[in-house]
Amino acid sequence: MRVAVPKEISRGERRVALTPEGVAALKQAGFDVRVEAGAGREAGADDEAYREAGAAVVAEPASVYSDADLVLKVRGPTHNEALGRHEAELIPEGATLVAMFHPLAHPELVRRLADRRITTFCMDLIPRITRAQKMDALSSQATAAGYKGALVAADRLARFLPMLMTAAGTIPPARVLVIGAGVAGLQAIATARRLGAVVQAFDIRPAAKEQVESLGATFVGLTLEGAETAGGYAKELDEEQHRREQELLHKLCREADAVITTAAIPGKRAPVLITEAMVRDMRPGSVIVDLAAEMGGNCELTQAGREVVHHGVLVVGLDNAASAVAVHASQMYSRNITALVQHLFQDGALRADLEEDEIARACLVTRDGAVVHEGVRQLIAAGN
């Protein structure tokens, strides 16, 4: 089976879908791997490393895709300006694509892939079950994003994070508020704590309290029963719960020097948790780092990919934060995608029992010219 690993062309994307380590693993499993020249350069892997791992390195982007049975990507297909064609058109009809392409947010891309009879597996739909832990790309990339978010907050904040005792007097530690104690939030908490900040963490899930406190932070959430989905995400709140949440967040933001937001609901716009009124009441010089910027932002004033100042507060719309630590983010993603490919394919072909397998069924989006993922199919049927 021929595997293609193209260079990512989405704006600001530095990661690569498969590292030389992943190439070696797939080669050992009987796959023939072809990598576009320069695909791993920004992720710390040069072309020679790919050759040594057993991959063929191809200079022309279109040639990477030609005759491919399986295409591995980080981001979903997009328009290739250099070739004047959409990447979906470069993937051979009937081939298989594995990538993170947020199908619930991009139904038009899903339709395009289905029309070309491309079988697609979405890495951001991997179920959060024990058997799929080593394939869980959302968690691995959230780890990278949370780490980077804390570093950006420390860099943009015009004060020290740790307490310092100097000849010029004692400098008190900065106060950091992390909103959302999922994988990204917990990593942001751990990183801010290591940098010496006093950290508070807000979440609505009762299970988050123990995790937050185990990292040495103070839990300041609401702990609402029934606020967690089967996948471990926070549910949307009713009107009264939302009012209580807003009141508490307003108070917490007013006291914080830096706020890192990580709240997300799969397949939906990120919930707006920080209003302009809250920003207006924050201390001048405070910083908000919004890790949900790509999905609309947790702050009302967030602009994805931009840093803007409102009412004396810097709001950083940190989109694609994992790409900023491309070496380790790629290493983790490559291991995730390699594990999934080895699970899905047997003897050079897709397994026959895809519909019966819990992992495959959860992340299979299109097959045989049709959209087979129920949630995406309903979204498209509704006219989105």
Side-chain angles (χ1 to χ4, degrees):
M1 171 167 277
R2 295 177 295 274
V3 178
V5 182
K7 183 177 181 179
E8 298 295 323
I9 60 173
S10 296
R11 180 182 62 83
E13 185 55 72
R14 301 169 59 207
R15 293 170 292 179
V16 65
L18 201 65
T19 63
E21 175 191 52
V23 169
L26 292 188
K27 286 287 290 184
Q28 188 173 6
F31 292 85
D32 178 27
V33 184
R34 185 186 304 165
V35 178
E36 183 178 345
R41 186 176 298 120
E42 293 190 85
D46 61 19
D47 294 344
E48 187 56 35
Y50 281 105
R51 291 190 185 96
E52 290 176 358
V57 177
V58 180
E60 293 297 323
S63 299
V64 177
Y65 288 97
S66 64
D67 299 326
D69 301 303
L70 172 63
V71 177
L72 305 181
K73 284 180 55 59
V74 178
R75 306 291 288 255
T78 189
H79 186 74
N80 189 313
E81 297 288 346
L83 298 178
R85 298 174 65 189
H86 198 283
E87 286 182 307
E89 297 173 3
L90 299 174
I91 301 173
E93 288 198 24
T96 299
L97 168 70
V98 182
M100 298 183 76
F101 54 94
H102 305 295
L104 292 167
H106 300 102
E108 72 290 342
L109 174 60
V110 173
R111 282 191 290 260
R112 185 191 285 261
L113 293 166
D115 288 344
R116 288 190 56 78
R117 304 185 67 80
I118 296 170
T119 298
T120 58
F121 293 93
C122 190
M123 291 296 290
D124 37 298
L125 293 177
I126 297 291
R128 283 187 163 169
I129 58 176
T130 302
R131 285 197 309 126
Q133 280 184 339
K134 60 185 177 181
M135 310 167 197
D136 187 359
L138 272 185
S139 290
S140 73
Q141 302 310 289
T143 295
Y147 168 79
K148 190 63 181 181
L151 295 185
V152 170
D155 180 66
R156 302 300 191 272
L157 191 63
R159 57 187 299 152
F160 296 124
L161 253 65
M163 181 179 73
L164 296 180
M165 300 181 70
T166 75
T170 299
I171 307 295
R175 299 176 65 87
V176 174
L177 171 66
V178 177
I179 300 178
V183 177
L186 291 173
Q187 188 57 236
I189 291 166
T191 304
R193 284 280 299 144
R194 285 194 291 267
L195 292 172
V198 172
V199 182
Q200 293 181 313
F202 177 94
D203 205 292
I204 61 173
R205 298 167 301 130
K209 184 175 187 294
E210 183 179 351
Q211 296 169 317
V212 165
E213 292 176 345
S214 72
L215 295 173
T218 302
F219 184 78
V220 289
L222 292 176
T223 60
L224 301 174
E225 294 298 331
E228 188 170 359
T229 67
Y233 294 98
K235 289 183 179 178
E236 291 185 89
L237 303 182
D238 62 32
E239 188 174 338
E240 174 58 22
Q241 291 171 331
H242 183 63
R243 184 191 63 76
R244 290 172 55 199
E245 177 187 60
Q246 292 281 285
E247 287 180 355
L248 178 54
L249 283 174
H250 198 150
K251 174 180 178 294
L252 293 170
C253 287
R254 193 164 52 233
E255 298 169 349
D257 299 303
V259 180
I260 303 169
T261 72
T262 71
I265 301 173
K268 297 185 179 180
R269 190 202 184 284
V272 175
L273 303 176
I274 301 178
T275 64
E276 183 172 2
M278 295 182 195
V279 175
R280 188 182 298 114
D281 285 349
M282 290 178 68
R283 298 170 185 155
S286 300
V287 173
I288 297 171
V289 177
D290 195 337
L291 291 178
E294 252 185 306
M295 300 304 292
N298 294 141
C299 176
E300 185 178 5
L301 301 172
T302 294
Q303 296 181 39
R306 295 191 60 193
E307 300 185 14
V308 293
V309 177
H310 290 280
H311 311 294
V313 177
L314 176 64
V315 182
V316 182
L318 195 61
D319 61 345
N320 198 11
S323 182
V325 281
V327 172
H328 285 134
S330 297
Q331 183 182 91
M332 292 188 291
Y333 184 80
S334 176
R335 291 172 180 172
N336 297 147
I337 206 168
T338 298
L340 180 62
V341 168
Q342 291 175 330
H343 176 77
L344 293 175
F345 290 85
Q346 292 179 343
D347 300 322
L350 275 172
R351 293 170 46 168
D353 61 346
L354 289 180
E355 296 300 324
E356 300 171 16
D357 180 74
E358 184 178 7
I359 297 172
R361 188 172 64 248
C363 62
L364 178 63
V365 178
T366 62
R367 192 180 191 191
D368 297 328
V371 179
V372 297
H373 188 279
E374 184 61 29
V376 180
R377 189 167 61 233
Q378 289 178 3
L379 190 69
I380 292 176
N384 293 301

